[in-house]
């Protein structure tokens, strides 16, 4: 779309910048967009003229959701595993190998179709930025093609060759770590921005995780980490040690873990350098206790919310669902949850051009079918996303 775009008659605008409260709310507002960027925010009554026009009709508008944790490149589903869990089986992460088998057997076109389908699903639910991980290939060729396909859809791509040790390396995990750090990383790095490790009992221990993340960082990738999902462990503190942008899950934290995260606080009071990304879809779908967001927030830790969309532990692409869960189950206020799903996700990706609606930001906006962001938690399960504008373009 060429020319400027004015979104006006916004009853409640969440800017995550200057304005009322922690969400920087402005009432009766308008946003002017040019060349994919926000260029002006102000009172609707004083809005400049533009080439194109969206009338929000008094509804709420917020930044597009930033889903900083998703696994979209896979084949098959694990509905039967979900049903078994709901009948009492515990989740151990072992089902990852089932998806690895199906993913290796899939064609590029099948994988691409799944990524597009899930990315489209998320977009219709207001997600304008979505990180995509590999991690269901676990061979040099299958990890490289997973990331090549992910990179067709997102610039936020993550190499997760260290998801689990694949069956063929079960009795020689050191050799698999050597493969991940050597030829697999070399093949994946051209398509990846980040490196991630599942640091958990049954996946990778802290020494292997440290070695793999250090190799990734030396290859120019940013560090993120799955940690403390299934039980307590050293993952979160390893993430802090390696200046990870985010440690994800954080379901089982000690006081020392929370303190280590809090110690990464920026001196200007803008939050922590390492973000705790909470993934309540995983606790929902594995019927596990939720992480305690309140404890992190009260310690000053920056919190993000993401879907963890994957066929095993959290097969949802819905950020509104995660916001509602976070409010109901994790002791977050609606404002904290909406911030975490927008600006928090941006922090977890070390981005300052998304998750906010202030001049200079990317023009990623969501118009709700509701008068307030509060409705995202107040009306769970209801399709409240009326319109999505991505990069200045109505979708
Ligand atoms: O984030 N924790 C590891 N990875 C995924 C689960 C993947 C699966 O079960 O297939 C997660 O929950
Ligand atoms: Fe995950």
């Amino acid at each position: 779309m060429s020319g400027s775009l004015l979104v006006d008659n916004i009853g409640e605008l969440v800017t995550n910048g200057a304005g009322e409260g922690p969400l920087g709310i402005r009432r009766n507002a308008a946003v002017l967009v040019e060349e994919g960027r926000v260029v002006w925010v102000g009172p609707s009554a004083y809005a400049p003229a533009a080439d194109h026009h969206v009338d929000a009709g008094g509804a709420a508008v917020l930044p597009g959701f930033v889903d900083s944790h998703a696994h979209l490149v896979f084949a098959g589903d694990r509905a039967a595993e979900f049903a078994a869990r709901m009948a009492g089986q515990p989740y151990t992460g072992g089902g990852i190998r089932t998806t690895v088998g199906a993913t290796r057997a899939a064609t590029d076109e099948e994988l691409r179709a799944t990524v597009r389908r899930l990315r489209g699903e998320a977009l219709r639910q207001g997600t304008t930025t979505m990180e995509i991980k590999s991690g269901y290939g676990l061979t040099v060729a299958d990890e490289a093609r997973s990331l090549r396909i992910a990179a067709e859809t997102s610039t936020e791509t993550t190499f997760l060759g260290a998801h689990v040790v694949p069956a063929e390396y079960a009795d020689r995990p050191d050799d698999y770590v050597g493969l991940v750090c050597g030829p697999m990383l070399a093949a994946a790095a051209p398509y990846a921005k980040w490196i991630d490790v599942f640091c958990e009992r049954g996946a990778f221990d802290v020494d292997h995780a440290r070695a793999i993340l250090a190799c990734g960082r030396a290859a120019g990738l940013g560090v993120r980490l799955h940690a403390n999902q299934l039980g307590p462990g050293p993952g979160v503190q390893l993430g802090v040690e390696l200046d990870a942008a985010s440690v994800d899950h954080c379901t089982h934290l000690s006081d020392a873990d929370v303190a280590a995260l809090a110690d990464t606080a920026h001196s200007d009071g803008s939050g922590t350098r390492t973000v705790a990304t909470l993934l309540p879809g995983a606790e929902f779908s594995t019927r596990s206790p939720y992480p305690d967001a309140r404890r992190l927030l009260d310690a000053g830790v920056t919190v993000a919310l993401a879907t963890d969309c994957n066929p095993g532990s959290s097969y949802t692409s819905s950020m509104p669902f995660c916001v509602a869960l976070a409010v109901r189950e994790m002791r977050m206020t609606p404002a904290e949850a909406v911030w975490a799903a927008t600006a928090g996700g941006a922090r977890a990706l070390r981005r300052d051009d998304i998750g906010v609606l202030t001049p200079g930001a990317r023009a990623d906006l969501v118009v709700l079918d509701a008068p307030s962001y509060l409705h995202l938690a107040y009306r769970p399960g209801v399709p409240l996303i009326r319109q999505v504008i991505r990069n200045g373009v109505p979708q």
Side-chain angles (χ1 to χ4, degrees):
M1 195 178 74
S2 63
S4 55
L5 169 72
L6 180 71
V7 184
D8 68 357
N9 205 8
I10 302 170
E12 179 185 272
L13 176 67
V14 172
T15 68
N16 288 334
E20 187 189 304
L23 295 180
I25 285 180
R26 304 182 70 140
R27 314 249 168 224
N28 305 315
V31 176
L32 181 67
V33 173
E34 278 173 13
E35 289 175 4
R37 297 269 160 184
V38 173
V39 294
W40 178 89
V41 177
S44 202
Y46 300 113
D51 301 315
H52 306 276
H53 176 223
V54 170
D55 182 348
V61 169
L62 58 149
F65 296 119
V66 179
D67 185 352
S68 59
H69 184 139
H71 309 246
L72 304 189
V73 194
F74 65 84
D77 83 25
R78 285 160 40 205
E81 182 190 310
F82 173 77
R85 278 202 301 276
M86 296 306 109
Q89 292 288 316
Y91 175 77
T92 60
I96 294 171
R97 290 196 183 87
T98 309
T99 301
V100 169
T103 304
R104 288 177 180 175
T107 64
D108 290 9
E109 221 21 76
E110 286 165 341
L111 296 179
R112 190 170 281 127
T114 297
V115 171
R116 289 209 185 121
R117 176 174 63 81
L118 294 170
R119 184 64 192 90
E121 211 177 82
L123 185 68
R124 290 191 294 280
Q125 295 170 93
T127 298
T128 47
T129 301
M130 198 167 193
E131 183 256 19
I132 304 178
K133 301 177 195 296
S134 68
Y136 291 114
L138 310 188
T139 65
V140 172
D142 286 307
E143 284 297 298
R145 80 163 171 153
S146 295
L147 285 161
R148 188 165 28 82
I149 290 168
E152 294 168 1
T153 298
S154 180
T155 57
E156 300 293 345
T157 52
T158 301
F159 171 44
L160 181 57
H163 200 182
V164 285
V165 177
E168 63 275 18
Y169 281 89
D171 51 359
R172 44 193 184 111
D174 290 347
D175 290 353
Y176 185 66
V177 172
L179 180 74
V180 171
C181 289
M184 198 183 277
L185 174 62
Y191 309 107
K193 180 168 176 183
W194 302 96
I195 186 160
D196 192 345
V197 173
F198 186 20
C199 181
E200 197 82 36
R201 196 186 297 265
F204 293 86
D205 67 23
V206 69
D207 294 328
H208 281 156
R210 184 184 283 109
I212 293 164
L213 294 171
C215 296
R217 194 161 60 178
L221 305 185
V223 171
R224 44 203 325 108
L225 192 56
H226 281 68
N228 302 57
Q229 175 187 8
L230 305 177
V236 163
Q237 294 194 48
L238 175 66
V240 168
E241 174 192 320
L242 297 178
D243 188 33
S246 177
V247 286
D248 296 40
H249 286 289
C250 294
T251 311
H252 299 270
L253 297 185
S254 66
D255 289 344
D257 295 331
V258 176
L261 286 167
D263 277 349
T264 71
H266 293 284
S267 52
D268 63 1
S270 64
T272 52
R273 221 178 127 69
T274 298
V275 171
T277 298
L278 309 182
L279 308 165
E283 279 73 35
F284 178 89
S285 298
T286 60
R287 194 173 273 152
S288 304
Y290 289 90
D292 187 350
R294 185 81 267 131
R295 185 174 169 218
L296 288 160
L297 290 164
D298 289 349
V301 177
T302 299
V303 169
L305 287 171
T307 62
D308 197 15
C309 183
N310 77 78
S313 63
S314 181
Y315 200 6
T316 180
S317 56
S318 173
M319 289 293 281
F321 174 62
C322 294
V323 166
L325 282 182
V327 171
R328 176 62 181 83
E329 304 289 348
M330 286 158 47
R331 302 203 289 151
M332 293 179 89
T333 66
E336 286 167 342
V338 166
W339 191 92
T342 51
R347 299 286 178 89
L349 295 170
R350 298 230 162 122
R351 298 269 302 263
D352 57 14
D353 60 329
I354 54 176
V356 292
L357 291 176
T358 50
R362 260 180 62 147
D364 292 344
L365 291 76
V366 169
V367 183
L368 295 186
D369 233 333
S372 170
Y373 73 87
L374 290 168
H375 285 228
L376 288 166
Y378 174 48
R379 307 201 62 217
V382 176
L384 292 180
I385 309 302
R386 182 191 297 166
Q387 182 160 23
V388 179
I389 295 167
R390 183 161 183 262
N391 222 2
V393 180
Q395 303 293 301

